[in-house]
Amino acid sequence: MTSGGARIPVIGLGTWDLRGRTCARVVEQALQLGYRHIDTAEMYGNEREVGEGLRASGIRRDDVFITTKVWPDHLASTAFERATKESLVRLRLSEVDLLLIHWPNPRIPLAETMGALCRMKQAGFARHVGVSNFTVPLIEEAMRLATEPLVTNQIEWHPYIDQSKVVAACRRHSLSVTAYSPIARGRAGNDVQLRRIGLNHRKTAGQVSLRFLIQEGAIVIPRTSRRERLEENSAVFDFELDPAEMDEVRKLANRRGRVVDWSGAPNWD
Ligand SMILES: NC(=O)c1ccc[n+]([C@@H]2O[C@H](COP(=O)([O-])OP(=O)(O)OC[C@H]3O[C@@H](n4cnc5c(N)ncnc54)[C@H](OP(=O)(O)O)[C@@H]3O)[C@@H](O)[C@H]2O)c1
């Protein structure tokens, strides 16, 4: 997908909670199977292993799109630069493809953080920049403050959550949407309705969840520690859900659908 000058592979590997040798192994396997997009963050404590997996894969650095994120404790100007440089040291890269603000932090003026984020691009530490977990009002403010194109808003999105308002705001600003927890942390993989829809296409419930998001226009970053699921999750480009099936999946959304805990997150609305 193209957004703000960035070409972002529509499927990426999520790495939250993958640690140590498992993380390096899964990243290496994913790249060898054809994945070209890896999502990490300073908070995941696995940037070193993501870098190791990348080098072990033998895939050229420039052929892989690497995203990392700066944690909300580090959104003041000086801390932001330090955190970015530390991520690069751990990854053993001179630049990432995409640098995101992981979560907003209302204790630090957004103008300061957006300034720091855009400077990371200007300094050559990130090819592209963007945000994560930004609400509609925050997207509007970020777009006003950014001096570099923002290329994505990474948000929780799967069949159990209605993100139409945030997605519409992103579209208004030509900002791509990256869906995190796209299998709802495994829940979608066991869903009876998704499984039934999948039977029409000889696909699994997890594949229906990912395909649904892709047809909604999202980039998806499913995580798995299993090789067979790396293959399963990337085999989503050879079938299409029809409008009735899309509607059926949309109807699974409900107000308690979140799987990621926002209780500690700041309320900006
Ligand atoms: N920006 C943010 O604030 C934020 C927040 C959360 C996540 N993220 C990013 O998004 C990535 C993905 O989200 P996530 O890790 O929360 O959840 P997810 O990708 O929706 O789900 C991962 C879980 O589902 C299982 N799974 C994977 N493929 C499956 C399939 N085809 N069928 C059934 N189960 C399957 C995995 O188990 P196995 O390992 O056993 O396969 C794992 O337990 C993260 O890893 C991270 O990179 C970002």
Side-chain angles (χ1 to χ4, degrees):
M1 176 174 307
T2 308
S3 172
R7 283 185 56 135
I8 312 177
V10 168
I11 183 143
L13 173 73
T15 67
W16 172 72
D17 217 24
L18 296 178
R19 295 291 161 86
R21 291 179 60 171
T22 303
C23 179
R25 189 239 326 143
V26 174
V27 169
E28 179 184 353
Q29 285 176 338
L31 292 170
Q32 284 172 350
L33 287 169
Y35 284 70
R36 290 293 179 269
H37 172 180
I38 311 287
D39 181 82
T40 182
E42 64 163 313
M43 189 277 264
Y44 301 169
N46 64 12
E47 288 171 310
R48 226 175 276 285
E49 290 77 11
V50 166
E52 277 169 27
L54 170 63
R55 286 185 296 281
S57 73
I59 306 294
R60 280 184 43 221
R61 161 67 188 101
D62 283 351
D63 291 339
V64 184
F65 192 94
I66 306 270
T67 300
T68 197
K69 319 184 191 79
V70 178
W71 191 239
D73 289 349
H74 301 145
L75 298 191
S77 204
T78 316
F80 200 103
E81 180 166 345
R82 191 184 316 123
T84 303
K85 286 181 176 165
E86 286 173 0
S87 282
L88 292 174
V89 167
R90 285 188 293 268
L91 285 159
R92 285 179 52 195
L93 295 177
S94 56
E95 63 183 354
V96 285
D97 296 274
L98 180 57
L99 183 68
L100 303 179
I101 298 169
H102 201 148
W103 288 84
N105 180 347
R107 294 189 306 277
I108 296 167
L110 190 59
E112 178 175 348
T113 303
M114 293 307 296
L117 177 71
C118 293
R119 272 197 300 283
M120 294 305 93
K121 179 175 172 185
Q122 290 149 8
F125 298 138
R127 289 184 183 149
H128 305 281
V129 291
V131 297
S132 178
N133 297 301
F134 271 38
T135 58
V136 174
L138 275 177
I139 292 166
E140 300 299 336
E141 207 183 332
M143 293 310 299
R144 198 168 47 74
L145 293 166
T147 53
E148 296 290 339
L150 300 179
V151 307
T152 208
N153 183 20
Q154 187 180 119
I155 57 170
E156 180 178 343
W157 196 8
H158 44 68
Y160 308 109
I161 188 166
D162 175 4
Q163 288 287 25
S164 51
K165 289 190 180 140
V166 178
V167 170
C170 292
R171 299 265 181 279
R172 278 200 297 282
H173 293 289
S174 305
L175 191 58
S176 72
V177 177
T178 303
Y180 75 65
S181 307
I183 306 181
R185 296 241 157 116
R187 182 179 162 194
N190 295 315
D191 188 288
V192 177
Q193 254 173 288
L194 297 179
R195 208 173 270 165
R196 191 173 37 69
I197 294 172
L199 285 177
N200 301 337
H201 305 276
R202 297 192 183 178
K203 294 287 176 180
T204 65
Q207 289 171 319
V208 171
S209 185
L210 296 172
R211 181 70 208 177
F212 165 75
L213 294 164
I214 291 168
Q215 286 185 218
E216 292 282 62
I219 294 159
V220 294
I221 49 169
R223 161 184 54 107
T224 182
S225 50
R226 306 191 205 177
R227 191 185 193 284
E228 66 276 14
R229 280 192 174 154
L230 288 172
E231 295 189 61
E232 177 183 338
N233 292 345
S234 58
V236 290
F237 297 97
D238 57 354
F239 74 112
E240 192 162 334
L241 301 175
D242 68 28
E245 291 170 327
M246 289 294 285
D247 271 346
E248 204 180 324
V249 180
R250 268 184 216 112
K251 284 190 188 125
L252 294 174
N254 65 80
R255 295 176 67 80
R256 288 175 208 243
R258 274 191 193 283
V259 295
V260 173
D261 183 10
W262 272 55
S263 56
N267 184 3
W268 284 75
D269 288 311

